[in-house]
Amino acid sequence: MAINTNLKPGPIGVFDSGYGGLTILSEIKELMPQYDYIYLGDNARAPYGNKSYDLICDFTLQAVKWFFAQGCQLVIIACNTASAKALRRLQQQYLPTIDPHKRLLGVIRPTAIAIASLSKNGHVAVLGTEATIKSKLYEEEMNNLHPHLKLTSEACPMWVPLVENLEYDKPGADYFVKQHLTKILEKDNKIDTIILGCTHYPLLLKKIKQYIPDNITVISQGKYIAESLKDYMNRHPEMDSICSKNGKRLYYTTDSAEKFKDIASAFLKETIEVEKIKLGKDDELV
Ligand code: DGL
């Protein structure tokens, strides 16, 4: 459906269960600084990665409704878990009923598209939350896009809590980081590219590099999501025209604003203002 260009321009929404989506936002705003962005972290209910399909869908729907109420025409689900579990359902069932002009974009397809150009020998690994890995969406996208690649995956359920609790650079993190990297290399010892399929994981990059051979490249998604969004805007001038461009950024969380402000600076390397909001519980999908 063509987008009605008489719609009021609004900021681009960026959503994650917590802080992880900030690794995506920082790349997006660097590449496209002219746009306005609203970030929401559902920190009060993170992590999403060990939650059920219905719960992840309900939480994501509540967040998307909130973004639309703020005037966003386009929302990036900057969370692999919500992209894997909720995006398709919301795009197909929810969006057409509420406002067919609005758009939701996820992070898995753009990452899967980028993978082919990154691996030299075609042996690729993806690390993610339990929900993302169990969804097999990376496999599905890769089979469609690059059937010649061998994809091996591994769920790392402790990694998001390590990041959310600011333990990512502490000695305690080493055990869990090493454990999953050892496992994935046992599954395929020819892997030359590891995709961090969770937006929290780039914070663990330094430790990850300690436990893999030098010839393996570790890929964070942010750069690819930003490039893909830029390409999307070029291909969809009707959407570009309803995304406001005053270089404004607003940050919201469902948990403590003070805590978010402190931790977010580690991700963004800048000081920000944060507001706490509540997400409704009465919007469940039927
Ligand atoms: N950043 C989310 C992702 O990319 C983390 C999910 C979680 O809350 O467990 O999957």
Side-chain angles (χ1 to χ4, degrees):
M1 169 174 308
I3 287 177
N4 174 357
T5 45
N6 292 325
L7 294 170
K8 194 166 175 279
I12 297 174
V14 180
F15 173 66
D16 184 49
S17 59
Y19 302 105
L22 294 170
T23 62
I24 303 289
L25 177 62
S26 62
E27 297 281 348
I28 294 179
K29 65 186 179 69
E30 180 143 347
L31 191 67
M32 306 164 75
Q34 68 275 32
Y35 293 87
D36 299 336
Y37 298 100
I38 293 192
Y39 184 89
L40 172 63
D42 190 7
N43 299 77
R45 303 186 292 195
Y48 279 15
N50 53 6
K51 296 197 165 57
S52 69
Y53 172 71
D54 282 337
L55 211 50
I56 296 169
C57 282
D58 285 340
F59 289 174
T60 309
L61 173 63
Q62 290 166 9
V64 164
K65 283 189 171 179
W66 179 84
F67 278 110
F68 289 169
Q70 309 310 303
C72 297
Q73 305 289 354
L74 174 69
V75 178
I76 315 294
I77 308 294
C79 173
N80 290 266
T81 306
S83 294
K85 292 288 188 181
L87 181 66
R88 212 175 272 176
R89 190 166 172 194
L90 297 194
Q91 281 171 330
Q92 290 171 0
Q93 288 181 21
Y94 173 69
L95 219 44
T97 64
I98 184 157
D99 187 342
H101 302 297
K102 296 194 189 290
R103 292 288 179 270
L104 293 177
L105 300 176
V107 289
I108 294 186
R109 171 131 349 128
T111 307
I113 290 172
I115 288 173
S117 62
L118 302 172
S119 170
K120 288 193 184 79
N121 70 3
H123 288 254
V124 176
V126 64
L127 305 175
T129 65
E130 216 175 305
T132 300
I133 299 305
K134 276 196 183 149
S135 77
K136 297 211 174 295
L137 201 61
Y138 270 100
E139 274 87 347
E140 199 183 298
E141 294 285 10
M142 296 286 280
N143 282 339
N144 291 335
L145 294 160
H146 322 295
H148 59 287
L149 295 186
K150 178 174 164 46
L151 182 73
T152 306
S153 56
E154 169 79 6
C156 312
M158 285 302 290
W159 288 17
V160 170
L162 287 172
V163 173
E164 289 279 318
N165 292 294
L166 292 190
E167 291 290 327
Y168 59 88
D169 56 353
K170 305 282 183 338
D174 288 70
Y175 172 82
F176 294 104
V177 170
K178 187 175 173 201
Q179 182 190 44
H180 292 295
L181 293 169
T182 308
K183 273 199 201 156
I184 196 123
L185 292 173
E186 275 168 14
K187 288 180 191 172
D188 179 2
N189 64 11
K190 292 202 186 79
I191 287 165
D192 76 347
T193 308
I194 295 180
I195 310 292
L196 303 182
C198 171
T199 56
H200 282 69
Y201 294 177
L203 272 283
L204 289 160
L205 193 58
K206 222 163 131 193
K207 286 212 187 283
I208 291 170
K209 285 188 172 166
Q210 284 171 23
Y211 294 106
I212 52 167
D214 289 342
N215 65 315
I216 298 182
T217 313
V218 185
I219 305 294
S220 302
Q221 299 170 290
K223 175 176 178 281
Y224 302 97
I225 307 304
E227 284 168 1
S228 151
L229 181 61
K230 193 171 179 186
D231 176 59
Y232 177 87
M233 291 302 203
N234 288 337
R235 287 185 291 109
H236 296 276
E238 74 289 356
M239 175 50 78
D240 186 59
S241 68
I242 52 169
C243 290
S244 52
K245 298 172 190 75
N246 307 297
K248 259 177 85 177
R249 290 92 178 83
L250 296 171
Y251 296 89
Y252 297 88
T253 175
T254 53
D255 200 349
S256 154
E258 274 313 302
K259 189 176 170 202
F260 189 95
K261 191 175 162 175
D262 286 349
I263 298 179
S265 22
F267 284 76
L268 293 169
K269 296 174 189 78
E270 63 176 307
T271 311
I272 56 167
E273 290 309 314
V274 184
E275 212 178 295
K276 180 178 174 175
I277 60 128
K278 258 193 179 154
L279 288 179
K281 289 201 188 325
D282 53 349
D283 294 328
E284 276 82 13
L285 284 167
V286 281

